[in-house]
Structures are given as structure tokens and as C-alpha cells.
């Protein structure tokens, strides 16, 4: 199916990889081609997007770039961007696919469902994904990273903020890949519940994210921020369990997690009925192929008449990828990071014909511009006053472990 939808200039595949959760609506969902498409840069993008949504009664797939923050929080971005995704893009697909455990449903405007199924079934997927290993460079050195973390801790000591998500970029230039093959390899190594293959013209997102940004179902909204990461031990099962327990009891990770939970509660309170914002789970520890993660679940009941643009404006960018207080840390991120985040730490997802939606957090991802032959991935961690700069750097490398395994050393 992925090979088939990749023939279109725009396509999106969202894959849950059979993770069991009461909050999941779809196992695998995809849209390909477009009947109509909305895209914009920051300024009045959300207002225009709302107008676009109001005219639709169909599926929408698309993305919110991190740099929508310039509109929602009144800040600016001037750092380098080697990929070039639009700040916001959503499309009404020509074809929709829904795959469950025992069936596939194909939505098409033409009466060609059997033809599409036959074409997909006959595709040869044995294609190489890398002709050679790319040379990966760092936008900042390890020493620069450590010094920047120390500088950020001085801001925390002065009271400018109390937690900040600080990221760095790894990149390669002049290198060609087969995006479908790289995505397949990445998700074979690291299948995660919010994985995504996303393409708009010459730009690709190959995503193995474990994190949900925001879901709406009827009048309920739900966010599941991740803060707290511990390595797996895939050789010794007992030590792996020990690592999981160490994450659960880690005061540092708990303090990071509860800070972002408070931020999410505050964001949801702007759009939810008074007294309905609830922490459904605090400090939940979940196991993924490379890491253990601490995840909390916060939900609320929407007030009457709240639009999707109001929901996004009140909650975006997500607290797990910014910090608190949000406006100040966005300014500090711009100052100390050297790369424009673009789609990284933004969100990709779908909106149903009835207005429900679900969006991931774009992390653990490779971004690629095939025209410029520019490949990029970014990783980050939550910095507090008690952070150890060298350990935070190691955490960045740990989060990129699957990507490094795909791309080579």
C-alpha cells in the first residue's frame, strides 16, 4: 500500500503497529492524492485553515509545522531550514485506506476498488533503500551542546523558565535515498504507535514516533505528553525490567513529566469546560523497541462551539517539545538552537468527516528533501536546573539509535 500511494505527489500513511490502547481509533490509515489542498505560512494561517475546514465534509490529512508557534505565540524564526515543509498543509484525499486486523477498506470516488487492490497486491517491494551510507554531520558539536545546556540552566536559575526542550540537528547533504525503503527499514527496527510516512511533492517525513499530541473524539480532547526516557537492555531481561523501574522512580524524570502535565492541563483549560480537565494517568511507563518512556494522559471536555483552529491555537506547540513557561522557552529555543525545526516537533495526522482528529508528535524522524538531496534528523531532551549536560547529550543519541542503525554509523 505504501509503495502504491507513493506514486502521488501527496500522501500520508499513519500506522499504529498493533499497539493496544483504549485511545486508538485506527490500526492503519492512509490518504493519497488530493481533490483539494490547503497550505499556508504563518501569519493568518489558522484562520484561513478554519475557513477551509468549514467547507469540507470529507477526510483531511496533513501537518502542523512547529513554526506555527510564530502565529500562536507571537514569536519569530530565522534559523536555517534545509527541508522546507509548509507551515501548515492539509489535503482532501482522492483515496482513503483503512486497514484493520482482518480487512482493508478502500475509499475512492471512482468505482475502482478492486483494481486498486489488485495493483497494490502485485507490487514488488524488494527494492534497495540505500545505495551507500550517508555521511552524517552535526549542526553543533558536543562541546557546544554542553555549553548551551549550562547557559540554559543559568536562565532557569534566574527564573526565566523552569524547563526547556533543547534540540540539535544531524544532517547529510548531496545524498539520495529511497524514502519508502528507508521508512520500512526504520519501522522494522523501531515500530512505534504513531509512525508515519508523509510526502508533499519533494519533501518526505519518515517517522517512528511514540507520542500523541492531541486527539479529539466527540466532545473529548486528550493529550499524552512524554517526558522521561530510559535505555532498554535487550540482552538481559531482568536488567531491562530494572531499567523500567528506575525510570518510574527517577525524581528527575518525574519532575520533568509533572511540569509538562501542568502545562498541558493549563492549555486544555483554555478550551474545556471548567472542572473537566483530568489527569487520567500520571507517570505511566511504557516500553518501546529502543527505550522506556514515561507518559501521562490528560483529558478534558470541550466547551460548546470550540473550533479546531481554537484548539490548535490554545495547545500548539505541544508542551513536551517546548517547556514552561511556553512563550519564554520558545524565544530561548530560537536563540540556542541553530536549525529551524520545521516539521520536526510539529504534528501529522487526520481529521474525520465528522470533525474528530488525532495528531502525533513528530519525533524520532528522518526528514528528506529529494530536490536538494538534504537529509535531516533532530533529537532533544528536557533541560531542568538539575540536568547533567553530558547525560542529556547521551539521551539525544539514545533517541536517535534506530535512525543511526538505519543510516549507518
Amino acid at each position: 500500500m505504501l509503495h502504491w500511494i507513493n506514486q502521488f505527489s501527496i500522501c500520508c500513511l499513519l500506522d499504529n503497529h498493533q499497539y493496544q490502547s483504549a485511545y486508538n481509533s485506527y490500526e492503519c490509515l492512509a490518504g493519497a492524492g488530493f481533490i483539494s489542498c490547503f497550505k499556508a505560512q504563518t501569519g493568518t494561517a489558522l484562520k484561513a485553515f478554519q475557513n477551509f475546514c468549514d467547507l469540507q465534509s470529507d477526510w483531511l490529512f496533513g501537518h502542523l509545522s512547529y513554526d506555527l508557534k510564530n502565529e500562536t505565540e507571537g514569536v519569530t524564526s530565522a534559523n536555517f531550514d534545509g527541508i522546507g515543509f509548509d507551515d501548515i498543509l492539509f489535503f482532501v484525499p482522492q483515496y482513503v485506506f483503512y486497514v484493520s486486523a482482518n480487512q482493508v477498506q478502500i475509499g475512492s470516488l471512482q468505482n475502482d476498488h478492486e483494481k486498486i487492490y489488485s495493483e497494490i497486491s502485485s507490487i514488488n517491494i524488494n527494492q534497495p533503500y540505500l545505495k551507500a551510507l550517508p555521511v552524517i554531520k552535526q549542526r553543533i558539536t558536543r562541546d557546544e551542546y554542553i555549553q548551551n545546556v549550562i547557559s540554559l540552566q543559568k536562565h532557569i536559575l534566574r527564573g526565566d523558565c523552569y524547563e526547556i526542550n533543547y534540540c540539535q540537528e544531524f544532517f547529510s547533504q548531496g545524498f539520495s535515498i529511497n524514502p519508502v525503503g528507508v521508512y520500512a527499514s526504520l519501522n522494522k527496527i523501531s515500530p512505534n504507535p504513531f509512525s508515519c510516512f508523509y510526502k508533499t511533492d519533494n519533501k518526505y517525513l519518515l517517522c517512528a514516533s511514540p507520542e500523541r499530541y492531541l486527539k479529539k473524539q466527540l466532545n473529548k480532547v486528550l493529550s499524552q505528553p512524554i517526558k522521561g526516557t530510559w535505555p532498554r537492555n535487550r540482552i538481559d531481561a531482568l536488567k531491562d525490567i530494572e531499567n523500567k523501574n528506575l525510570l518510574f522512580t527517577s525524581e528527575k524524570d518525574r519532575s520533568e513529566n509533572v511540569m509538562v502535565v501542568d502545562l498541558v492541563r493549563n492549555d486544555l483549560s483554555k478550551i474545556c469546560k471548567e472542572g473537566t480537565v483530568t489527569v487520567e494517568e500520571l507517570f505511566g511507563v511504557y516500553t518501546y523497541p529502543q527505550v522506556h518512556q514515561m507518559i501521562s494522559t490528560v483529558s478534558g471536555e470541550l466547551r460548546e462551539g470550540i473550533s479546531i483552529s481554537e484548539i490548535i491555537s490554545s495547545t500548539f506547540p505541544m508542551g513536551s517539545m517546548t517547556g514552561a513557561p511556553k512563550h519564554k522557552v520558545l524565544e530561548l529555543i530560537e536563540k540556542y538552537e541553530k536549525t529551524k525545526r520545521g516539521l520536526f516537533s510539529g504534528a501529522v495526522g487526520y481529521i474525520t468527516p465528522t470533525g474528530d482528529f488525532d495528531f502525533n508528535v513528530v519525533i524520532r524522524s528522518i526528514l528528506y528533501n529529494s530536490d536538494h538531496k538534504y537529509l535531516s534528523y533532530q533529537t532533544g531532551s528536557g533541560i531542568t536546573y538539575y540536568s547533567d549536560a553530558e547525560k542529556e547529550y547521551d539521551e539525544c543519541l539514545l533517541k536517535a539509535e534506530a535512525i543511526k542503525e538505519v543510516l549507518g554509523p
Side-chain angles (χ1 to χ4, degrees):
M1 187 172 70
L2 182 57
H3 279 81
W4 190 87
I5 68 173
N6 189 47
Q7 69 183 289
F8 296 91
S9 62
I10 294 179
C11 64
C12 179
L13 180 141
L14 306 165
D15 195 348
N16 178 254
H17 287 292
Q18 301 179 26
Y19 280 85
Q20 300 302 311
S21 170
Y23 303 117
N24 292 337
S25 298
Y26 298 98
E27 167 57 33
C28 183
L29 188 66
F34 69 95
I35 300 166
S36 59
C37 182
F38 170 84
K39 56 184 175 181
Q41 302 302 111
T42 54
T44 57
L46 286 176
K47 182 179 179 181
F49 174 57
Q50 185 63 57
N51 293 335
F52 176 75
C53 290
D54 291 343
L55 296 173
Q56 310 304 322
S57 57
D58 206 331
W59 287 90
L60 293 172
F61 291 79
H63 77 265
L64 308 166
S65 164
Y66 171 78
D67 290 296
L68 271 178
K69 67 179 174 53
N70 297 346
E71 184 173 325
T72 61
E73 294 290 336
V75 291
T76 59
S77 296
N79 286 331
F80 170 76
D81 179 7
I83 303 296
F85 273 103
D86 294 292
D87 288 340
I88 183 171
L89 186 151
F90 280 84
F91 66 98
V92 178
Q94 290 175 266
Y95 303 96
V96 178
F97 300 86
Y98 165 45
V99 182
S100 61
N102 55 9
Q103 71 173 180
V104 57
Q105 298 178 37
I106 300 173
S108 171
L109 295 178
Q110 313 297 324
N111 189 23
D112 55 356
H113 309 81
E114 293 289 349
K115 177 176 176 289
I116 293 168
Y117 184 81
S118 177
E119 289 178 0
I120 292 173
S121 300
S122 63
I123 288 175
N124 174 23
I125 63 171
N126 294 319
Q127 302 175 18
Y129 69 89
L130 289 176
K131 295 179 180 177
L133 295 178
V135 176
I136 304 296
K137 302 177 182 179
Q138 295 174 247
R139 187 65 60 187
I140 62 173
T141 66
R142 183 178 185 276
D143 288 343
E144 285 178 306
Y145 175 92
I146 290 170
Q147 287 304 311
N148 285 345
V149 169
I150 293 171
S151 296
L152 289 170
Q153 288 174 316
K154 292 178 181 177
H155 283 282
I156 294 170
L157 185 62
R158 288 199 298 264
D160 295 336
C161 60
Y162 50 92
E163 180 185 10
I164 181 168
N165 184 272
Y166 177 54
C167 299
Q168 59 176 314
E169 183 195 21
F170 302 83
F171 67 98
S172 179
Q173 294 173 290
F175 190 79
S176 297
I177 65 170
N178 169 7
V180 171
V182 171
Y183 172 80
S185 178
L186 177 62
N187 280 272
K188 184 177 181 181
I189 293 169
S190 186
N192 280 305
F194 295 96
S195 298
C196 172
F197 177 93
Y198 181 59
K199 170 188 177 183
T200 66
D201 297 318
N202 63 316
K203 295 171 281 289
Y204 295 84
L205 167 69
L206 318 174
C207 175
S209 174
E211 185 172 3
R212 169 181 276 126
Y213 154 49
L214 199 66
K215 176 176 180 169
K216 173 185 175 290
Q217 190 163 17
L218 299 176
N219 67 339
K220 180 179 179 179
V221 285
L222 177 139
S223 181
Q224 294 183 291
I226 292 179
K227 267 290 170 263
T229 303
W230 213 266
R232 295 288 311 276
N233 190 317
R234 290 180 284 181
I235 298 173
D236 189 324
L238 291 178
K239 288 185 178 179
D240 194 45
I241 294 172
E242 181 182 345
N243 282 0
K244 187 175 181 178
N245 292 334
L246 286 170
L247 172 58
F248 181 73
T249 57
S250 165
E251 288 300 322
K252 171 192 176 292
D253 292 294
R254 280 178 170 244
S255 65
E256 285 185 29
N257 194 282
V258 80
M259 285 181 197
V260 76
V261 165
D262 282 343
L263 192 154
V264 171
R265 289 173 62 202
N266 181 66
D267 285 350
L268 293 187
S269 69
K270 301 172 189 174
I271 52 174
C272 290
K273 294 178 180 178
E274 187 174 348
T276 66
V277 176
T278 304
V279 180
E280 296 189 15
E281 182 180 32
L282 186 64
F283 306 145
V285 176
Y286 294 83
T287 298
Y288 298 103
Q290 274 71 39
V291 293
H292 301 293
Q293 302 273 203
M294 184 176 284
I295 305 175
S296 293
T297 300
V298 187
S299 67
E301 185 180 336
L302 287 170
R303 300 200 308 270
E304 299 296 330
I306 295 292
S307 68
I308 185 170
S309 62
E310 289 175 299
I311 295 171
I312 293 168
S313 181
S314 297
T315 61
F316 191 86
M318 62 289 299
S320 62
M321 296 305 296
T322 54
K326 190 180 286 187
H327 184 88
K328 182 60 180 179
V329 297
L330 292 175
E331 294 177 339
L332 293 174
I333 286 168
E334 180 69 16
K335 178 180 178 180
Y336 286 96
E337 293 183 9
K338 288 189 176 181
T339 303
K340 196 174 182 179
R341 290 190 183 182
L343 188 48
F344 171 73
S345 73
V348 173
Y350 67 85
I351 306 171
T352 71
T354 58
D356 289 341
F357 60 76
D358 203 358
F359 291 101
N360 73 359
V361 177
V362 178
I363 52 176
R364 320 290 160 82
S365 300
I366 298 169
L367 294 104
Y368 179 63
N369 185 309
S370 60
D371 283 356
H372 301 157
K373 292 182 170 54
Y374 187 91
L375 181 149
S376 169
Y377 61 92
Q378 298 189 50
T379 60
S381 65
I383 307 301
T384 68
Y385 178 73
Y386 296 102
S387 293
D388 181 310
E390 293 188 4
K391 289 182 179 178
E392 297 295 342
Y393 184 85
D394 291 341
E395 182 176 318
C396 290
L397 299 184
L398 173 65
K399 290 173 177 176
E401 189 175 284
I403 294 173
K404 290 186 288 182
E405 191 172 340
V406 170
L407 298 178

